[in-house]
Amino acid sequence: QIFRASGGASDQTSDKLEQWRAQQARDLEQNQALALLKRIQVAETCWANCWHLIERESVALWKIYHGKNKPVAVQSTVGGLRDSIRSDGSNDVSIGVVQYPQNRLRPAMSSAMSSAAQAMTKTPAFAFENELRAILTPGAAQQVMLGTGTKVSVDLQALVAAVRLSPVAEPWHVELVQRLIEHHGLQRL
């Protein structure tokens, strides 16, 4: 617009402007590709165990995360989660609150973040989750194609503060959960 207002740009200036625009497009594409690779690297170098930091149950969260066929939730504390994890020393587990920064989608920011920081960051659209994550990072010898999950031994007595059932749980769900609580030696709530 400035060039047009001044009567147009010289051919040399137009060429420079076009080169600058092309470079900006390449840089943006490269930054987006790097951000994608970093997200893939995060998915391949750690596992996340996700919890909600909420004071009270919410019908909305039950609907979103549990649905009709998954009416059970475990309630714990941050300390209970931390104390329950039994590590054999080959894995590093860190626990923290997920951050929801407004500028999460900027590629330059994402590519500069460590894998652990990326695993603890989500877009603001998910802030309603108020999420806490336990991030498990395997030792270097184990970091070859992690797969979709892994088993981590936990002390159920330390982990489970309460077992919650969905407001729409079927009677057989209640009975099954009561039997499981008794089977694992947990206090009946």
Side-chain angles (χ1 to χ4, degrees):
Q1 289 176 346
I2 292 171
F3 289 129
R4 274 192 233 118
S6 65
S10 68
D11 289 342
Q12 185 179 15
T13 305
S14 290
D15 289 344
K16 292 277 186 198
L17 183 59
E18 192 54 42
Q19 288 173 3
W20 178 82
R21 283 185 195 150
Q23 184 62 47
Q24 292 299 310
R26 284 191 298 272
D27 289 349
L28 178 62
E29 188 175 307
Q30 183 179 21
N31 285 339
Q32 288 173 336
L34 286 172
L36 177 61
L37 286 173
K38 283 291 242 179
R39 285 193 296 277
I40 290 170
Q41 289 172 356
V42 169
E44 292 180 355
T45 59
C46 65
W47 289 285
N49 180 264
C50 307
W51 297 76
H52 296 288
L53 289 170
I54 56 174
E55 292 293 321
R56 291 182 237 199
E57 294 176 53
S58 159
V59 171
L61 285 177
W62 278 110
K63 285 181 181 179
I64 293 169
Y65 293 101
H66 295 283
K68 187 175 180 180
N69 298 323
K70 299 175 187 170
V72 179
V74 173
Q75 181 179 344
S76 190
T77 63
V78 176
L81 176 61
R82 181 197 63 233
D83 295 345
S84 73
I85 298 170
R86 297 178 180 159
S87 178
D88 61 4
S90 65
N91 298 319
D92 181 30
V93 178
S94 54
I95 298 172
V97 177
V98 171
Q99 302 298 308
Y100 306 93
Q102 291 298 318
N103 58 354
R104 168 69 171 98
L105 295 177
R106 288 199 341 221
M109 181 187 145
S110 295
S111 62
M113 295 170 69
S114 70
S115 293
Q118 286 189 50
M120 297 299 281
T121 306
K122 292 178 82 172
T123 63
F126 293 97
F128 72 92
E129 293 175 333
N130 198 19
E131 191 175 341
L132 175 99
R133 286 185 173 177
I135 303 295
L136 178 115
T137 308
Q142 294 177 291
Q143 287 193 358
V144 180
M145 295 306 285
L146 294 180
T148 58
T150 190
K151 292 181 181 181
V152 175
S153 295
V154 295
D155 176 354
L156 289 177
Q157 295 293 337
L159 178 66
V160 180
V163 176
R164 301 287 183 207
L165 289 163
S166 166
V168 295
E170 302 282 336
W172 69 269
H173 290 132
V174 176
E175 191 177 310
L176 177 61
V177 169
Q178 287 173 343
R179 278 191 268 147
L180 285 170
I181 287 172
E182 290 170 10
H183 174 76
H184 288 288
L186 299 172
Q187 289 181 352
R188 194 164 180 181
L189 304 169

